[in-house]
Amino acid sequence: MYPNRHPAPHQPGQPFKFTVAESCDRIKEEFSFLQAQYHSLKMECEKLAQEKTEMQRHYVMYYEMSYGLNVEMHKQTEIAKRLNAICAQVIPFLSQEHQQQVAAAVERAKQVTMTELNAIIGQQMQQHLPHAHAPPIPMPPHPAAGLQPPLPPSSAAGLLALGLGSAHLPGMSKEDNKGQC
């Protein structure tokens, strides 16, 4: 504004005064600093919003998987109860020797450990899917389902196979399985 004006030397006792050009430069620097800070905070906020969206997607996916597994577990529990009831009804009609064998087999089936179950799952997966190399996932046993059929170890294949899992129950004919599905 006044280019020929020079600032007066600072005298002790008087507050330091800036020229208009210096004040404008200072305001410009502060504005640039605040603008850069705003931009970095905006980028960080957008990144956090993307992470939040991704976490919500994962939450929904895991919730759906959990719900599906819960439904399947109840279904398998009901199947196990029905199979146990069928065995209890059929056993008295068997000979004494066969009754003891079936009773021992049923008790053994109720006491299958997770290690044995994972070994069986691994064998079945190698027979049905020779290219699958997923490690078995340890699952705690369900106390009400002693005769529960094993679930496949990979979660994606497991969810896809859940609907098909009851179609191949051991000890049941295809006609019996059709009635269960």
PDB file of all heavy atoms in Angstrom, residues 161-177:
ATOM      1  N   ALA A 161     -21.076 -75.906   1.995  1.00  0.00           N
ATOM      2  CA  ALA A 161     -21.409 -77.311   2.203  1.00  0.00           C
ATOM      3  C   ALA A 161     -22.417 -77.516   3.316  1.00  0.00           C
ATOM      4  O   ALA A 161     -22.922 -78.614   3.485  1.00  0.00           O
ATOM      5  CB  ALA A 161     -20.139 -78.104   2.509  1.00  0.00           C
ATOM      6  N   LEU A 162     -22.721 -76.466   4.085  1.00  0.00           N
ATOM      7  CA  LEU A 162     -23.648 -76.645   5.191  1.00  0.00           C
ATOM      8  C   LEU A 162     -24.995 -77.159   4.705  1.00  0.00           C
ATOM      9  O   LEU A 162     -25.593 -78.019   5.323  1.00  0.00           O
ATOM     10  CB  LEU A 162     -23.834 -75.333   5.950  1.00  0.00           C
ATOM     11  CG  LEU A 162     -22.664 -74.921   6.816  1.00  0.00           C
ATOM     12  CD1 LEU A 162     -22.948 -73.593   7.478  1.00  0.00           C
ATOM     13  CD2 LEU A 162     -22.342 -75.959   7.848  1.00  0.00           C
ATOM     14  N   GLY A 163     -25.470 -76.616   3.615  1.00  0.00           N
ATOM     15  CA  GLY A 163     -26.744 -77.065   3.079  1.00  0.00           C
ATOM     16  C   GLY A 163     -26.664 -78.474   2.535  1.00  0.00           C
ATOM     17  O   GLY A 163     -27.654 -79.192   2.485  1.00  0.00           O
ATOM     18  N   LEU A 164     -25.478 -78.905   2.135  1.00  0.00           N
ATOM     19  CA  LEU A 164     -25.299 -80.232   1.558  1.00  0.00           C
ATOM     20  C   LEU A 164     -24.836 -81.245   2.589  1.00  0.00           C
ATOM     21  O   LEU A 164     -24.848 -82.436   2.342  1.00  0.00           O
ATOM     22  CB  LEU A 164     -24.261 -80.171   0.428  1.00  0.00           C
ATOM     23  CG  LEU A 164     -24.555 -79.176  -0.701  1.00  0.00           C
ATOM     24  CD1 LEU A 164     -23.378 -79.138  -1.650  1.00  0.00           C
ATOM     25  CD2 LEU A 164     -25.815 -79.554  -1.427  1.00  0.00           C
ATOM     26  N   GLY A 165     -24.394 -80.753   3.769  1.00  0.00           N
ATOM     27  CA  GLY A 165     -23.786 -81.635   4.771  1.00  0.00           C
ATOM     28  C   GLY A 165     -24.725 -82.705   5.265  1.00  0.00           C
ATOM     29  O   GLY A 165     -24.326 -83.826   5.528  1.00  0.00           O
ATOM     30  N   SER A 166     -25.999 -82.396   5.417  1.00  0.00           N
ATOM     31  CA  SER A 166     -26.919 -83.391   5.946  1.00  0.00           C
ATOM     32  C   SER A 166     -27.368 -84.376   4.874  1.00  0.00           C
ATOM     33  O   SER A 166     -28.014 -85.366   5.183  1.00  0.00           O
ATOM     34  CB  SER A 166     -28.134 -82.685   6.555  1.00  0.00           C
ATOM     35  OG  SER A 166     -28.805 -81.960   5.554  1.00  0.00           O
ATOM     36  N   ALA A 167     -27.027 -84.120   3.616  1.00  0.00           N
ATOM     37  CA  ALA A 167     -27.444 -85.016   2.542  1.00  0.00           C
ATOM     38  C   ALA A 167     -26.611 -86.291   2.511  1.00  0.00           C
ATOM     39  O   ALA A 167     -26.960 -87.242   1.831  1.00  0.00           O
ATOM     40  CB  ALA A 167     -27.336 -84.301   1.198  1.00  0.00           C
ATOM     41  N   HIS A 168     -25.485 -86.334   3.238  1.00  0.00           N
ATOM     42  CA  HIS A 168     -24.606 -87.503   3.205  1.00  0.00           C
ATOM     43  C   HIS A 168     -24.314 -87.983   4.614  1.00  0.00           C
ATOM     44  O   HIS A 168     -23.172 -88.164   4.993  1.00  0.00           O
ATOM     45  CB  HIS A 168     -23.289 -87.144   2.499  1.00  0.00           C
ATOM     46  CG  HIS A 168     -23.495 -86.628   1.109  1.00  0.00           C
ATOM     47  ND1 HIS A 168     -23.930 -87.409   0.082  1.00  0.00           N
ATOM     48  CD2 HIS A 168     -23.350 -85.378   0.604  1.00  0.00           C
ATOM     49  CE1 HIS A 168     -24.026 -86.682  -1.014  1.00  0.00           C
ATOM     50  NE2 HIS A 168     -23.692 -85.447  -0.718  1.00  0.00           N
ATOM     51  N   LEU A 169     -25.341 -88.171   5.419  1.00  0.00           N
ATOM     52  CA  LEU A 169     -25.128 -88.623   6.781  1.00  0.00           C
ATOM     53  C   LEU A 169     -24.782 -90.099   6.782  1.00  0.00           C
ATOM     54  O   LEU A 169     -25.419 -90.886   6.085  1.00  0.00           O
ATOM     55  CB  LEU A 169     -26.387 -88.384   7.619  1.00  0.00           C
ATOM     56  CG  LEU A 169     -26.725 -86.922   7.862  1.00  0.00           C
ATOM     57  CD1 LEU A 169     -28.071 -86.821   8.571  1.00  0.00           C
ATOM     58  CD2 LEU A 169     -25.660 -86.258   8.682  1.00  0.00           C
ATOM     59  N   PRO A 170     -23.783 -90.490   7.566  1.00  0.00           N
ATOM     60  CA  PRO A 170     -23.420 -91.902   7.607  1.00  0.00           C
ATOM     61  C   PRO A 170     -24.527 -92.714   8.271  1.00  0.00           C
ATOM     62  O   PRO A 170     -25.170 -92.276   9.199  1.00  0.00           O
ATOM     63  CB  PRO A 170     -22.144 -91.915   8.447  1.00  0.00           C
ATOM     64  CG  PRO A 170     -22.163 -90.648   9.214  1.00  0.00           C
ATOM     65  CD  PRO A 170     -22.952 -89.661   8.407  1.00  0.00           C
ATOM     66  N   GLY A 171     -24.733 -93.894   7.750  1.00  0.00           N
ATOM     67  CA  GLY A 171     -25.700 -94.797   8.344  1.00  0.00           C
ATOM     68  C   GLY A 171     -27.132 -94.565   7.899  1.00  0.00           C
ATOM     69  O   GLY A 171     -28.045 -95.184   8.417  1.00  0.00           O
ATOM     70  N   MET A 172     -27.348 -93.660   6.971  1.00  0.00           N
ATOM     71  CA  MET A 172     -28.710 -93.410   6.500  1.00  0.00           C
ATOM     72  C   MET A 172     -28.763 -93.637   4.994  1.00  0.00           C
ATOM     73  O   MET A 172     -27.835 -93.292   4.280  1.00  0.00           O
ATOM     74  CB  MET A 172     -29.144 -91.975   6.812  1.00  0.00           C
ATOM     75  CG  MET A 172     -29.313 -91.682   8.284  1.00  0.00           C
ATOM     76  SD  MET A 172     -29.891 -90.028   8.580  1.00  0.00           S
ATOM     77  CE  MET A 172     -31.590 -90.175   8.041  1.00  0.00           C
ATOM     78  N   SER A 173     -29.863 -94.174   4.544  1.00  0.00           N
ATOM     79  CA  SER A 173     -30.007 -94.377   3.113  1.00  0.00           C
ATOM     80  C   SER A 173     -30.402 -93.071   2.455  1.00  0.00           C
ATOM     81  O   SER A 173     -30.748 -92.101   3.123  1.00  0.00           O
ATOM     82  CB  SER A 173     -31.085 -95.443   2.839  1.00  0.00           C
ATOM     83  OG  SER A 173     -32.342 -94.935   3.255  1.00  0.00           O
ATOM     84  N   LYS A 174     -30.358 -93.010   1.140  1.00  0.00           N
ATOM     85  CA  LYS A 174     -30.721 -91.800   0.422  1.00  0.00           C
ATOM     86  C   LYS A 174     -32.171 -91.418   0.657  1.00  0.00           C
ATOM     87  O   LYS A 174     -32.523 -90.245   0.715  1.00  0.00           O
ATOM     88  CB  LYS A 174     -30.442 -91.958  -1.076  1.00  0.00           C
ATOM     89  CG  LYS A 174     -28.962 -91.994  -1.390  1.00  0.00           C
ATOM     90  CD  LYS A 174     -28.716 -92.038  -2.878  1.00  0.00           C
ATOM     91  CE  LYS A 174     -27.237 -92.081  -3.140  1.00  0.00           C
ATOM     92  NZ  LYS A 174     -26.924 -92.122  -4.541  1.00  0.00           N
ATOM     93  N   GLU A 175     -33.044 -92.428   0.833  1.00  0.00           N
ATOM     94  CA  GLU A 175     -34.460 -92.137   1.079  1.00  0.00           C
ATOM     95  C   GLU A 175     -34.621 -91.441   2.433  1.00  0.00           C
ATOM     96  O   GLU A 175     -35.408 -90.525   2.569  1.00  0.00           O
ATOM     97  CB  GLU A 175     -35.297 -93.433   1.031  1.00  0.00           C
ATOM     98  CG  GLU A 175     -35.379 -94.079  -0.336  1.00  0.00           C
ATOM     99  CD  GLU A 175     -34.132 -94.907  -0.681  1.00  0.00           C
ATOM    100  OE1 GLU A 175     -33.437 -95.398   0.233  1.00  0.00           O
ATOM    101  OE2 GLU A 175     -33.832 -95.047  -1.892  1.00  0.00           O
ATOM    102  N   ASP A 176     -33.859 -91.917   3.438  1.00  0.00           N
ATOM    103  CA  ASP A 176     -33.933 -91.298   4.764  1.00  0.00           C
ATOM    104  C   ASP A 176     -33.417 -89.865   4.721  1.00  0.00           C
ATOM    105  O   ASP A 176     -33.962 -88.976   5.353  1.00  0.00           O
ATOM    106  CB  ASP A 176     -33.121 -92.087   5.787  1.00  0.00           C
ATOM    107  CG  ASP A 176     -33.741 -93.455   6.086  1.00  0.00           C
ATOM    108  OD1 ASP A 176     -34.963 -93.602   5.877  1.00  0.00           O
ATOM    109  OD2 ASP A 176     -33.002 -94.347   6.535  1.00  0.00           O
ATOM    110  N   ASN A 177     -32.338 -89.646   3.972  1.00  0.00           N
ATOM    111  CA  ASN A 177     -31.758 -88.314   3.871  1.00  0.00           C
ATOM    112  C   ASN A 177     -32.695 -87.340   3.204  1.00  0.00           C
ATOM    113  O   ASN A 177     -32.718 -86.165   3.532  1.00  0.00           O
ATOM    114  CB  ASN A 177     -30.430 -88.342   3.101  1.00  0.00           C
ATOM    115  CG  ASN A 177     -29.279 -88.806   3.972  1.00  0.00           C
ATOM    116  OD1 ASN A 177     -29.315 -88.625   5.187  1.00  0.00           O
ATOM    117  ND2 ASN A 177     -28.282 -89.403   3.363  1.00  0.00           N
TER     118      ASN A 177
END
